[in-house]
Amino acid sequence: MAFYIKGPDFAALKIDTFRLTPQDQKLTFGQQTVVTECIDFSGHKFGFSFFDYENILSFGHPQDKSVDVMGLVAAVAELQRHDPDKSKHKININIQDAKGLQLHVYLWGDYAYKMQQYIHNNPHNRRIVVILQFGQINVFRDRPSVNTYFTSSKLFINSHIDEIIRFNKSLDGDDGPDSSTNTFSVIPSKQLSEYDDFMIKNKVNAISEVWEPVEKCSFVIVGTIKGILQNKTWYYKACTNCFGKAVPSDGSDDRQPTSYVCHNGDCTKHTTSVVPRFMIPIRVQDNTGTLTLTMFERDGKYLLKQSRGDSLDFYPDEINALKGLKLAFKVSVTNFNVSKKNNQYGIARISEDASIIEQLQTKLNDSQPSNEQSLDFGSADLQSQDIKNAKDAISGTDDNITPSTLDKNETTSPMKTLTTTPILKRNLKEVLDLECNDHLSSTKTPKISPDGPTKQLLKVKLKKND
């Protein structure tokens, strides 16, 4: 319905106030205000102002202004009702535009129940097109989504209106992403809780136990970020559709490419646009060794509490804020790691929960035999002092770690050697001689360091206490 409003008052909106319309002022009604229905309104009936998904996914739309989106429902999750407050119940749906891009949409409260009821009452409806008007963009760990905004949003589900009719016709074309009438898929249940993922689902290991990538798996370690590999690229160009890696399609200079191709075989886009995303190589240390892990966008932005800088040419100083953080890391070993013997693993999830970290450390300590003593290298970076001569393919200056001329994943690490015997046993009947050469090996002849002669080695004898 349309109305004439006569004699309203105007009030300026506060700075940083979320705005449902582009206006800088809001209308207020006084005693003199008169409202009458407009019978001959000739403008747009609903006043939609749709924005491209690409604009939203690349953070081109301001978060303090509402957004209208329309799309084909590609996937639906279960209704989540963990909170006693019904307004906090929600459904997550993925909607898809005519070009195949997908966008996360969260429907809260009555909007969630409206969607659930429609699906329940129309079990054989194989195509659902929705419009969410006056939605709010939320960003969680750098994943943009559109959410309903209290009771101000409007939700249209397969409504017989011109916009949805035209969109349906666009899907029937040869270039449409869904020319068939296949039904939407069901999004799997939400991921494990943080506690279950770290404490129950995955085994906690010391770093010295996971140096060799033997099989595809996931595990948990607890460690402190000691440095960042600054001469490695700290971001990658991501497809705006799936966030997979994209490369220039014509092999041109990556600084000025004409177009990009997504390398993700499951992506619905081949030629795509890109957005830079964090891919930070960090060095993590516990009391048994160090390991290089790759931190991606979600965790990087969450810990740094900010997006990437404007310039992609330089290593941003802000990333140094990661150093010194003690975290629990859920680590993924991929088929690539196993086949290439590459032990630079990716981080699947992080936890900074002090309680979880403490419980994980207790769990790890309890798993070690009581007559064994783990090697404790202290809080100093393991790339310092004499261990620098071990040439773990990296060199350290203060807390900033930069790779040396050797490839870390093709050399022998001191901790890699220690994987087989990471612990010194006290109650030994025999005396063990430990020869500490440049790779901490007891069998190989010391190698000459490219930085100079090898230092004199010490022979250490451990004897049983009387």
Side-chain angles (χ1 to χ4, degrees), residues 194-258:
E194 188 172 331
Y195 180 88
D196 289 345
D197 211 5
F198 283 90
M199 295 299 300
I200 299 175
K201 181 69 174 179
N202 295 285
K203 180 183 177 182
V204 59
N205 288 306
I207 287 179
S208 61
E209 298 175 310
V210 295
W211 261 98
E212 293 286 354
V214 178
E215 60 181 350
K216 181 181 178 181
C217 65
S218 295
F219 55 82
V220 171
I221 61 173
V222 175
T224 301
I225 299 176
K226 302 302 294 184
I228 298 97
L229 304 184
Q230 295 188 17
N231 73 338
K232 285 182 176 287
T233 305
W234 55 272
Y235 69 93
Y236 74 102
K237 298 291 183 66
C239 168
T240 53
N241 184 40
C242 69
F243 292 133
K245 183 178 181 180
V247 298
S249 58
D250 57 1
S252 62
D253 189 336
D254 192 41
R255 294 180 181 273
Q256 295 181 334
T258 55

Side-chain angles (χ1 to χ4, degrees), residues 27-237:
L27 296 177
T28 60
F29 291 180
Q31 292 183 348
Q32 77 282 4
T33 305
V34 178
V35 180
T36 57
E37 184 177 356
C38 176
I39 305 299
D40 57 349
F41 181 72
S42 59
H44 294 289
K45 185 175 182 180
F46 299 103
F48 296 125
S49 180
F50 297 114
F51 282 85
D52 291 337
Y53 292 8
E54 185 174 314
N55 186 279
I56 297 172
L57 293 171
S58 60
F59 307 97
H61 189 280
Q63 290 182 239
D64 62 347
K65 293 180 175 61
S66 70
V67 63
D68 300 346
V69 292
M70 173 172 58
L72 172 71
V73 176
V76 180
E78 295 180 359
L79 177 66
Q80 298 182 28
R81 349 178 172 199
H82 305 298
D83 197 288
D85 185 353
K86 183 179 177 180
S87 67
K88 296 182 179 179
H89 297 177
K90 66 178 179 179
I91 276 183
N92 174 24
I93 65 174
N94 289 352
I95 61 175
Q96 185 170 281
D97 67 6
K99 296 182 292 185
L101 285 175
Q102 289 196 6
L103 184 68
H104 291 305
V105 174
Y106 288 91
L107 307 176
W108 295 82
D110 291 337
Y111 301 101
Y113 283 95
K114 181 178 180 179
M115 173 60 72
Q116 184 192 51
Q117 184 177 11
Y118 182 89
I119 294 173
H120 177 76
N121 294 338
N122 299 272
H124 303 297
N125 195 317
R126 295 183 177 274
R127 181 183 286 177
I128 300 177
V129 175
V130 300
I131 293 176
L132 178 60
Q133 188 177 26
F134 304 129
Q136 182 181 35
I137 296 177
N138 285 340
V139 178
F140 178 71
R141 296 195 177 184
D142 208 51
R143 173 70 70 168
S145 65
V146 178
N147 292 239
T148 51
Y149 183 72
F150 298 102
T151 59
S152 299
S153 298
K154 292 184 178 181
L155 179 64
F156 301 81
I157 306 175
N158 273 0
S159 302
H160 192 70
I161 59 178
D162 292 342
E163 288 78 5
I164 289 182
I165 292 173
R166 287 196 296 268
F167 185 82
N168 261 313
K169 288 182 178 179
S170 72
L171 299 180
D172 294 328
D174 294 337
D175 297 330
D178 187 52
S179 58
S180 67
T181 56
N182 292 333
T183 185
F184 55 82
S185 61
V186 177
I187 299 176
S189 300
K190 69 173 187 175
Q191 65 176 349
L192 291 171
S193 69
E194 188 172 331
Y195 180 88
D196 289 345
D197 211 5
F198 283 90
M199 295 299 300
I200 299 175
K201 181 69 174 179
N202 295 285
K203 180 183 177 182
V204 59
N205 288 306
I207 287 179
S208 61
E209 298 175 310
V210 295
W211 261 98
E212 293 286 354
V214 178
E215 60 181 350
K216 181 181 178 181
C217 65
S218 295
F219 55 82
V220 171
I221 61 173
V222 175
T224 301
I225 299 176
K226 302 302 294 184
I228 298 97
L229 304 184
Q230 295 188 17
N231 73 338
K232 285 182 176 287
T233 305
W234 55 272
Y235 69 93
Y236 74 102
K237 298 291 183 66

